[in-house]
């Protein structure tokens, strides 16, 4: 993966439960890291056909593995004013350099 392909800026977000002064719990999104990533949206090529087990995945992200934390499926990705739920996290070629994330775009309900 060359640096030239990583043109998309993303934020990795973790949802934390915070309690206010009266003891009520609220969810708050905290940006853990801002990174450059390669983003590929779902389309009908052979590679996406092979990912049939993750049929709900709409996007693929590849980025350098952050050293300060572990990326998990409980986190989310913010990209270009859209939010994505992380479905799977995989270490590319098991070298510990790059991570591939399959994610599903979060859409709000209308009504």
């Amino acid at each position: 993966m060359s640096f030239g392909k990583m043109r998309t800026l993303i934020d990795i977000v973790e949802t934390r439960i915070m309690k206010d002064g009266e003891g009520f719990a609220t969810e708050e999104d905290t940006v853990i890291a801002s990174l450059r990533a390669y983003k590929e949206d779902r389309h009908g090529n052979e590679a996406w056909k092979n990912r049939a087990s993750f049929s709900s995945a709409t996007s693929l992200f590849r980025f350098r593995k952050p050293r300060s934390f572990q990326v998990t499926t409980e986190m989310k990705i913010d990209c270009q004013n859209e939010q994505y739920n992380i479905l799977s996290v995989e270490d590319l070629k098991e070298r510990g350099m790059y991570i591939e994330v399959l994610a599903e775009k979060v859409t709000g309900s209308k009504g």
Side-chain angles (χ1 to χ4, degrees):
M1 180 65 47
S2 67
F3 186 71
K5 290 187 176 184
M6 293 189 203
R7 297 184 186 137
T8 307
L9 293 173
I10 65 169
D11 292 330
I12 298 179
V13 177
E14 184 175 49
T15 303
R16 296 182 180 162
I17 298 175
M18 307 295 280
K19 289 190 177 183
D20 60 7
E22 297 177 1
F24 292 103
T26 58
E27 290 184 356
E28 182 178 298
D29 288 341
T30 305
V31 175
I32 296 177
S34 296
L35 308 166
R36 287 188 177 271
Y38 167 74
K39 180 185 176 200
E40 179 180 307
D41 289 322
R42 183 179 191 162
H43 44 73
N45 69 3
E46 196 67 30
W48 277 99
K49 288 178 189 174
N50 293 336
R51 296 182 184 113
S53 61
F54 292 103
S55 61
S56 62
T58 58
S59 295
L60 171 132
F61 294 92
R62 288 187 187 131
F63 50 88
R64 281 193 175 271
K65 183 177 181 180
R67 294 181 185 211
S68 58
F69 65 95
Q70 183 85 15
V71 178
T72 65
T73 56
E74 284 110 31
M75 297 177 180
K76 297 177 185 174
I77 293 177
D78 283 343
C79 176
Q80 300 169 346
N81 295 326
E82 296 174 336
Q83 196 166 52
Y84 296 85
N85 288 329
I86 296 176
L87 300 176
S88 75
V89 180
E90 184 179 337
D91 185 6
L92 281 178
K93 299 182 182 178
E94 298 180 8
R95 292 184 182 172
M97 293 177 61
Y98 294 97
I99 291 179
E100 181 177 87
V101 170
L102 289 175
E104 177 183 23
K105 185 176 177 181
V106 176
T107 56
S109 61
K110 296 179 182 178

